[in-house]
């Protein structure tokens, strides 16, 4: 097996990530290029990977039932969008036409 490059799609496990690897191949009948995606579970020792990171995987011995890959390096970190918290206005009061009784 050789090294593969893919995108992290899940990091909910401890020391493990799921990486989606895309490949293109030529379909002989349709004479078009077809894209297929394979998902690999990989070992991430220090939990450094986040969703959207581009990583390089190296093959390794079987680490568990589905884990045969190790994250060799993070090629590109994902840009994480953090929305700004809206300022809370404290002077908002309910306005009603009826007098309080």
């Amino acid at each position: 097996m050789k090294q593969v490059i893919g995108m992290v799609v899940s990091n909910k496990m401890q020391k493990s990530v799921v990486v989606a690897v895309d490949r293109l191949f030529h379909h002989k009948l349709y004479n078009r290029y077809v894209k297929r995606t394979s998902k690999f579970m990989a070992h991430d020792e220090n939990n450094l990977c986040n969703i959207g990171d581009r990583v390089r995987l190296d093959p390794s011995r079987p680490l568990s039932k589905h884990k045969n890959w190790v994250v060799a390096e993070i090629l590109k970190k994902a840009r994480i969008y953090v929305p700004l918290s809206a300022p809370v206005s404290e002077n908002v009061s309910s306005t009603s036409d009826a007098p309080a009784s």
Side-chain angles (χ1 to χ4, degrees):
M1 292 195 304
K2 62 179 187 175
Q3 299 174 346
V4 292
I5 295 174
M7 188 82 61
V8 176
V9 293
S10 173
N11 65 346
K12 295 183 187 293
M13 299 163 283
Q14 296 175 1
K15 296 188 178 185
S16 299
V17 291
V18 178
V19 179
V21 177
D22 293 331
R23 62 186 174 91
L24 284 175
F25 66 95
H26 188 262
H27 199 287
K28 291 181 182 177
L29 179 63
Y30 298 134
N31 198 23
R32 299 277 190 272
Y33 281 96
V34 182
K35 182 167 82 168
R36 291 284 184 253
T37 302
S38 301
K39 288 184 181 178
F40 298 118
M41 285 185 63
H43 185 67
D44 180 20
E45 181 64 35
N46 300 321
N47 289 326
L48 297 176
C49 294
N50 287 319
I51 295 176
D53 289 351
R54 193 154 184 81
V55 295
R56 181 172 55 87
L57 301 180
D58 284 340
S60 72
R61 64 179 178 83
L63 299 170
S64 69
K65 183 177 179 180
H66 298 289
K67 224 171 20 169
N68 297 323
W69 298 88
V70 174
V71 175
E73 68 174 316
I74 300 174
L75 300 174
K76 184 177 180 183
K77 296 292 282 183
R79 295 179 59 193
I80 300 172
Y81 172 72
V82 179
L84 296 174
S85 59
V88 178
S89 58
E90 298 174 2
N91 296 336
V92 175
S93 61
S94 62
T95 58
S96 63
D97 295 331
S101 55

